[in-house]
Amino acid sequence: MKLRILGTAAGGGLPQWNCACPGCSRARAAGPRAWRTQECLAVSVSPDAWYLVNASPDIRAQILAAPGLAPPDGTRHTPLRGVLLTDGELDHTAGLLALREGAALDLYAPPAVLAALDGPFPLRTLLAPYGSARWHAVGSGPLLLDGGRLRVTAVPISDKRPRYASGSGAPGPWVVAYRFDDTATGTAAVYAPSLARWPDALDDALAGVGCLILDGTFWSEDEMARATGGRGSGARAMGHLPVDGPDGTLVRLLGRDGIRCFYTHLNNTNPLADRASPERGALAGTPVEVPSDGTEIEW
Ligand code: MLT
Ligand code: MN
Ligand code: ZN
């Protein structure tokens, strides 16, 4: 199985265009090599078939930077077969507008998200005249993609709605994680970039996986408020369990032998984005890593 972590930042990216918090200022001063594009993943179990998880507003640059996602010489063709959405957030869906040029993509999302993309954010209506998207609901049964070799299972996480759909009464889940199984090799991975809570189903989905990529939006519960001078909600209220603390995600990762863990969807206030921070240093010697954009994992 091959995973390419296309982007690792939360909505807004690092640096964010209108922000000069310490994290954004540091990244701006360091230059593009320290920057992070908005979270997105590509998964593959065979050389000419890739699936995206989420489509970030930075998708064009992310695809151009990925050799495996280039069209074969002399063709107008893509190894991209489809896109799986974990939720309907703008930083996970707006990139679909940039993928309208002709590739026949299969798009997968939970039913509540499909309804939101037909309603308050009418992406499906907007894309319909371009004729290239086939939409599918993901439910409790696994999907078999890439000729049956890639088994994808959605793990219900929460009912956190995007702000634009806050009035929607559609039943959840609104947010899912995905487990990927390569049925030929037995390797498996879980992608969970939005964790408002840690359901038991997520622990169950981690059985036998070699790799977990998860929500690392905030290091601490009150980080946004401190970085922005008192404005901003707590991490949990914004739908993201923090990394640190007795109820954070890090303690749940320690002691899981055999699973490589990667934090993604880092907010620009998160000290983990800075290689020199003490918080980043605290991960040394643990199975937990903070990947850069473009990190590839293959096993
Ligand atoms: C989130 O991750 O909580 C959302 O993407 C926030 C947003 O950009 O509205
Ligand atoms: Mn987000
Ligand atoms: Zn900032």
Side-chain angles (χ1 to χ4, degrees):
M1 182 174 304
K2 207 169 186 178
L3 304 176
R4 183 175 172 102
I5 305 179
L6 296 169
T8 55
L14 175 72
Q16 184 171 308
W17 65 278
N18 64 342
C19 189
C21 72
C24 289
S25 300
R26 190 181 311 107
R28 209 172 266 115
R33 281 168 32 142
W35 296 2
R36 290 175 184 271
T37 59
Q38 294 163 88
E39 172 251 304
C40 198
L41 177 78
V43 184
S44 175
V45 292
S46 62
D48 58 352
W50 286 84
Y51 292 86
L52 293 181
V53 189
N54 296 330
S56 93
D58 298 315
I59 193 65
R60 178 177 175 276
Q62 292 169 336
I63 289 175
L64 293 180
L69 294 175
D73 275 353
T75 68
R76 179 170 287 197
H77 180 73
T78 175
L80 211 58
R81 296 281 173 269
V83 185
L84 296 135
L85 301 175
T86 58
D87 52 67
E89 296 287 348
L90 294 177
D91 57 342
H92 290 164
T93 55
L96 291 176
L97 290 169
L99 297 180
R100 68 190 175 283
E101 284 101 357
L105 295 176
D106 286 298
L107 308 180
Y108 303 86
V113 172
L114 290 182
L117 300 182
D118 242 348
F121 180 31
L123 249 190
R124 299 174 65 185
T125 317
L126 294 173
L127 288 173
Y130 297 85
S132 53
R134 293 182 294 253
W135 295 88
H136 312 271
V138 294
S140 45
L143 302 165
L144 289 173
L145 307 183
D146 198 2
R149 180 161 170 183
L150 180 63
R151 187 169 65 231
V152 183
T153 313
V155 183
I157 298 292
S158 79
D159 286 341
K160 186 206 164 197
R161 291 159 174 68
R163 231 187 282 186
Y164 68 77
S166 57
S168 166
W174 279 82
V175 178
V176 298
Y178 287 106
R179 171 171 168 137
F180 297 96
D181 284 272
D182 181 345
T183 57
T185 62
T187 51
V190 166
Y191 193 60
S194 184
L195 288 177
R197 49 191 286 274
W198 190 298
D200 292 342
L202 181 57
D203 279 319
D204 297 343
L206 293 178
V209 305
C211 177
L212 165 64
I213 304 174
L214 84 164
D215 186 344
T217 309
F218 298 112
W219 171 260
S220 60
E221 173 65 25
D222 61 349
E223 169 187 319
M224 260 307 254
R226 278 188 286 125
T228 55
R231 283 175 292 121
S233 319
R236 285 178 179 79
M238 294 175 75
H240 302 284
L241 289 176
V243 171
D244 191 33
D247 301 323
T249 54
L250 183 56
V251 288
R252 292 177 179 268
L253 302 181
L254 304 176
R256 280 181 201 269
D257 291 340
I259 307 187
R260 281 182 80 183
C261 302
F262 297 85
Y263 277 122
T264 191
H265 196 271
L266 272 71
N267 194 55
N268 42 59
T269 52
N270 188 335
L272 286 181
D274 175 12
R275 285 178 187 283
S277 69
E279 291 85 353
R280 182 76 169 265
L283 298 185
T286 75
V288 186
E289 301 171 51
V290 179
S292 312
D293 286 10
T295 296
E296 286 198 0
I297 310 146
E298 188 173 3
W299 79 108

